[in-house]
Amino acid sequence: MNSNGITKRKDKCLSIKDAVKYIKNGDRIAFGGFAVYQRPMAFVHEIIRAEIKDLRVVGVVNANEVDLLAGAGCISEIETSYVGLEKFGLARNFRRKVEDNSVKVFEYSELMSWDRFRASQEGLPYWPSYYVGGSDLLKYNKDIKQFTCPITGKKSWAIPAADPDVVVIHAAVGDKYGNIQIPLRHMLPQSLNITLSRSCSKVIVTLERIVDTDVVKSNPHLTLIPAFKPLCVVEIPWGAHPTGVLGEYNVDENHLTEYVESSKTESGFKKYLDKYIYGCEDFDGYLKKIGKENLNKIIDSGDVC
């Protein structure tokens, strides 16, 4: 607070090594993005390097961020509708961990999974649903509770709120105070990021670039995650690689293909970890191994935010 009694804005910039200190063993964590798009992969790498364990992931449609953490032994539970690599195939590390009971799975439908974060956003203990009947979800997920709607009298089900301890998302643009901008023309990964940011009091944002606040002020309508939400921001270009970021770069199909091939066996995945994570001091080291020429090939030629 200055001499005029006005509270000064806080610079929320941190290094990724400092930001990851907010994650503790056993945390209930949600990762932004959707399928193989806009995942906070640099942060996932840092979680693995920091040897954080027993994480309980809550998500909607999860992909290689969960598969990577599962293979590295960082996850004990996950609540989601899907873990896979879309056209690239199965999430084999995740599959192995589920099959040997190292990771417990609590399954929801995709819409239910999203609604759980909406419940947290609204401060509700559950989200009401009319569309569960007839599925096997009720047989295998005892956390979904039946009740009678007091308004309609219909048989209904209470879907428990997601309630993550911490949310980590990756975005293209923001300022040092935590104002995060989202393109007006956006898709599921960006929409989910907005919902996730409103579902939790501890939000960590990694950014392609931090811009001057005057740039943010010039387009205030794009600030869909305001400064009071993020706990900290981390500038880390290419921070979603090998997943894509709308308006920035596309999915690195060559690297994901290499990842899938490596993860077919535990020994192959260990070599992947040794090469791209344990063998790198930081994410910059990983990017050097990917190579500037390869990164340039996936740059999105469309307009950026």
Side-chain angles (χ1 to χ4, degrees):
M1 186 175 293
N2 63 22
S3 59
N4 295 321
I6 299 174
T7 301
K8 292 183 178 180
R9 289 180 294 180
K10 180 182 178 182
D11 184 332
K12 296 185 176 182
C13 293
L14 286 182
S15 70
I16 196 166
K17 291 186 182 298
D18 285 333
V20 83
K21 293 176 183 177
Y22 284 112
I23 313 298
K24 306 300 180 186
N25 291 340
D27 270 352
R28 187 174 174 81
I29 188 168
F31 295 101
F34 191 92
V36 293
Y37 303 95
Q38 207 149 325
R39 295 297 184 180
M41 297 307 296
F43 202 89
V44 167
H45 283 207
E46 203 59 40
I47 286 175
I48 295 172
R49 289 193 194 92
E51 300 183 342
I52 298 169
K53 305 295 183 183
D54 196 31
L55 292 174
R56 297 170 295 150
V57 176
V58 56
V60 178
V61 171
N62 296 94
N64 54 314
E65 86 290 356
V66 162
D67 191 64
L68 194 58
L69 289 167
C74 300
I75 294 175
S76 61
E77 296 180 3
I78 183 167
E79 302 168 18
T80 189
S81 67
Y82 169 87
V83 179
L85 304 178
E86 293 192 307
K87 73 175 185 178
F88 300 97
L90 298 173
R92 295 181 184 275
N93 292 311
F94 169 75
R95 187 185 182 101
R96 280 192 291 268
K97 294 296 182 179
V98 173
E99 289 176 344
D100 69 14
N101 295 316
S102 298
V103 173
K104 295 181 180 179
V105 179
F106 300 87
E107 191 169 357
Y108 295 85
S109 72
E110 184 174 319
L111 183 56
M112 284 180 200
S113 297
W114 197 306
D115 283 344
R116 298 183 71 205
F117 289 100
R118 294 171 66 191
S120 295
Q121 171 184 305
E122 300 299 330
L124 299 173
Y126 68 89
W127 194 265
S129 169
Y130 294 137
Y131 50 82
V132 182
S135 77
D136 278 342
L137 289 174
L138 297 173
K139 178 179 178 181
Y140 294 104
N141 191 334
K142 303 304 180 183
D143 291 334
I144 301 173
K145 307 295 184 183
Q146 182 181 322
F147 71 100
T148 300
C149 176
I151 304 298
T152 66
K154 285 184 178 181
K155 183 188 293 185
S156 308
W157 289 269
I159 314 301
D163 289 344
D165 295 318
V166 60
V167 163
V168 184
I169 67 176
H170 185 76
V173 174
D175 69 9
K176 65 182 180 181
Y177 301 116
N179 292 297
I180 310 302
Q181 300 206 306
I182 309 292
L184 285 184
R185 181 180 175 275
H186 56 260
M187 302 180 191
L188 279 176
Q190 296 78 32
S191 294
L192 183 56
N193 280 353
I194 295 167
T195 302
L196 292 182
S197 74
R198 297 171 180 173
S199 71
C200 182
S201 60
K202 186 187 289 186
V203 179
I204 297 170
V205 183
T206 58
L207 291 165
E208 286 296 313
R209 58 190 175 278
I210 292 176
V211 299
D212 191 88
T213 302
D214 287 340
V215 175
V216 172
K217 287 180 178 179
S218 68
N219 292 287
H221 57 293
L222 299 181
T223 304
L224 299 182
I225 302 176
F228 69 86
K229 287 304 302 181
L231 178 67
C232 63
V233 294
V234 179
E235 184 177 45
I236 190 149
W238 300 96
H241 186 274
T243 68
V245 177
L246 179 67
E248 301 289 331
Y249 46 88
N250 300 312
V251 173
D252 189 335
E253 298 197 2
N254 289 335
H255 188 77
L256 272 177
T257 299
E258 178 185 350
Y259 176 86
V260 169
E261 188 64 30
S262 298
S263 64
K264 285 182 177 179
T265 64
E266 289 189 27
S267 60
F269 182 67
K270 183 180 182 301
K271 291 178 181 178
Y272 179 92
L273 286 176
D274 288 341
K275 178 179 180 180
Y276 288 113
I277 298 182
Y278 298 132
C280 302
E281 183 178 347
D282 52 25
F283 199 69
D284 282 342
Y286 161 82
L287 293 175
K288 287 177 182 176
K289 290 187 176 181
I290 300 300
K292 187 173 182 179
E293 181 179 348
N294 290 322
L295 293 174
N296 286 338
K297 290 177 182 178
I298 62 171
I299 291 176
D300 191 334
S301 59
D303 294 335
V304 298
C305 171

